[in-house]
Amino acid sequence: MDEYTEFKEFFEEISALPTDIIRENSYTMPYIFNKAYNENFISDWLAFILNPQINGIGIEPIKALLHLAGHDGIPVDGLFFNMGDESSCRLCREYPLGENGRIDFLINVYYSAADAENDTDGGNVLFRIAIENKIGAWEGMGQTEKYYSSIESMKRTKGNGYENVYIFLTPEGTSPGCKRFKPVSYRDFIPELKRMPVDFTRDLRKAFLVNEFILHMEGIMDNNKLSDADFVLIKYAGTLQKAEERYNRLLEIFYNELGGMEFLSSDDWKTNCPNGKRYWQCYKANWDGIHYEIVPVAENSKYYLSADGKFRVELHVEGKNRKNITSRLKTPAKAEIEGAVLRDTENDNRAVISLEFNEDFSSREKMSNSVKKIKTAFEWLNRTYTSQIDAVMG
C-alpha cells in the first residue's frame, strides 16, 4: 500500500465515525483559578458537600456515598458525623496518620453531637469513615494499606458492632491496593447528588456551591471519556506521526516560499521560525522588538494550512518602548488587500496592524493563490512601514 492510499483510508475511516463530542470547559471556580484537577482543592470542596452541618442538604450526600460503598446497614439518620462547623470545616481533611502520611478524609462518627463534644481521647467514636479522593493521580506504593493499618489501630471503646468504612473515590471507580477500601466512582456518585433536592430559596450561596460541584465533576468525567474515535487514533498512531511529519515539511516549504520575497533579499533582513513552527517572522537586524509576522488565529495552533485556514499577517511592536514607537508610526485608514479583513488592534498589546485571512490551502492551485495574497500583505507592510520604522530606530 502506498503512502497516499494509507493516508486516504485512514482519514476516510475517521470521517465515517460519529462526531466525537468534547464538552467545552465550563468556567467553574476550579477552571477560573487554574485548579481544575487539583485534588486538594476538590477535596476541600467535597468536604463541604458531605458535611451535614454546613452543606444545606443534610445527611443525604454521606448516605449516598455509604450506599455506593455497600454500607446500607448503617442507620445514618440517627448518627452524628463530626466534620466540623462553619468555623472548623476542615476538621476531617488531610488527617495525619503519623509516619504513614495523611488521608484525604477521616470522619469520626458518634451517637450524638454531645458524644463528640465530650470525646477527649477517641473513646466515644462508634466508627470512622476513611475516604481517599483521587482525581488524576495514582495511588502511592502501599498507600491505602498503610492508611488501613493506622486507622484500625485507633482507639474505640463503644460496643457498637460497626466496622470502619473505607472508600476509594475516583472518577471511574479505580480499584485500590488495599481491598478493604471499596472503590466508588464519581460517575455513580454525581447522579445521586443531582437527585437530592437543593433549596435555592433557603440559602442561595450553599445551593450554588453544591450545583457548581456537580457541574465541575461532570465536566471532568465527560472530558475523560474514551470514544470510538479515540481508539481509531490509537490504532493509527504511526500514521498520525507520518501525517505530522509531512505537515511540518509542508509548513517549512511554505515558510521558505515567504522567505523568498524580493524585499527580503537584502542582507539587512532576517527571518525567524521557532522549532514548533507556529509562526514566521521577518525583520531588520536593528529592529529591537519589531517584526512582521504570520500567526494563526487560534492561539498556540500551527495548523492553519488547511481548507479553512485562519491566520493573520501583522506588524508587531513589543518591549518597553512600544508606546513611543507606535505613536510615531502613521497607519493608513485602509489596507486594500484581497481576502484580508483589517482587524481592530486598539486593545492589542503588540499588533500595530493586523490583516486577518481565511484561506483554502487544500489544492496546489488554491494554495498558490493564497500564498500570493499573503505575499501581497507582507509587501504592503514593507511599503507602508519599513521606512517609518527605520526612521524611528535611527
Side-chain angles (χ1 to χ4, degrees), residues 140-267:
M141 183 66 70
Q143 186 179 12
T144 50
E145 292 283 0
K146 293 175 184 176
Y147 291 168
Y148 174 75
S149 177
S150 291
I151 295 166
E152 285 297 301
S153 68
M154 291 180 179
K155 183 177 181 180
R156 279 194 300 156
T157 60
K158 289 281 186 182
N160 54 75
Y162 295 127
E163 297 289 334
N164 287 330
V165 172
Y166 297 90
I167 295 173
F168 195 66
L169 183 60
T170 63
E172 300 296 334
T174 305
S175 295
C178 176
K179 299 309 176 188
R180 293 302 297 268
F181 274 81
K182 300 301 179 184
V184 175
S185 73
Y186 274 104
R187 202 167 291 285
D188 291 330
F189 177 56
I190 292 301
E192 293 289 331
L193 201 56
K194 288 178 74 172
R195 282 191 279 271
M196 297 172 195
V198 179
D199 189 350
F200 281 86
T201 62
R202 291 184 60 189
D203 193 323
L204 180 60
R205 179 174 58 87
K206 290 181 178 180
F208 164 78
L209 289 171
V210 172
N211 280 279
E212 183 83 343
F213 183 81
I214 291 170
L215 179 64
H216 182 71
M217 295 311 298
E218 283 183 330
I220 286 179
M221 290 184 295
D222 283 351
N223 289 337
N224 284 346
K225 284 181 181 177
L226 289 174
S227 69
D228 289 343
D230 294 320
F231 290 104
V232 170
L233 296 184
I234 291 171
K235 179 180 178 181
Y236 289 103
T239 305
L240 278 176
Q241 181 180 351
K242 291 178 184 177
E244 175 78 6
E245 291 169 355
R246 184 168 286 275
Y247 180 85
N248 286 337
R249 177 174 169 270
L250 178 63
L251 201 57
E252 186 175 351
I253 292 170
F254 170 69
Y255 288 152
N256 286 340
E257 178 77 10
L258 296 183
M261 287 184 287
E262 186 175 349
F263 76 89
L264 297 177
S265 60
S266 166
D267 290 340

Side-chain angles (χ1 to χ4, degrees), residues 37-64:
Y37 289 85
N38 186 292
E39 287 180 0
N40 279 330
F41 188 99
I42 293 173
S43 291
D44 285 343
W45 201 354
L46 179 62
F48 165 80
I49 300 295
L50 294 177
N51 192 334
Q53 282 80 259
I54 64 175
N55 62 16
I57 51 177
I59 206 71
E60 295 306 312
I62 280 189
K63 187 185 291 187

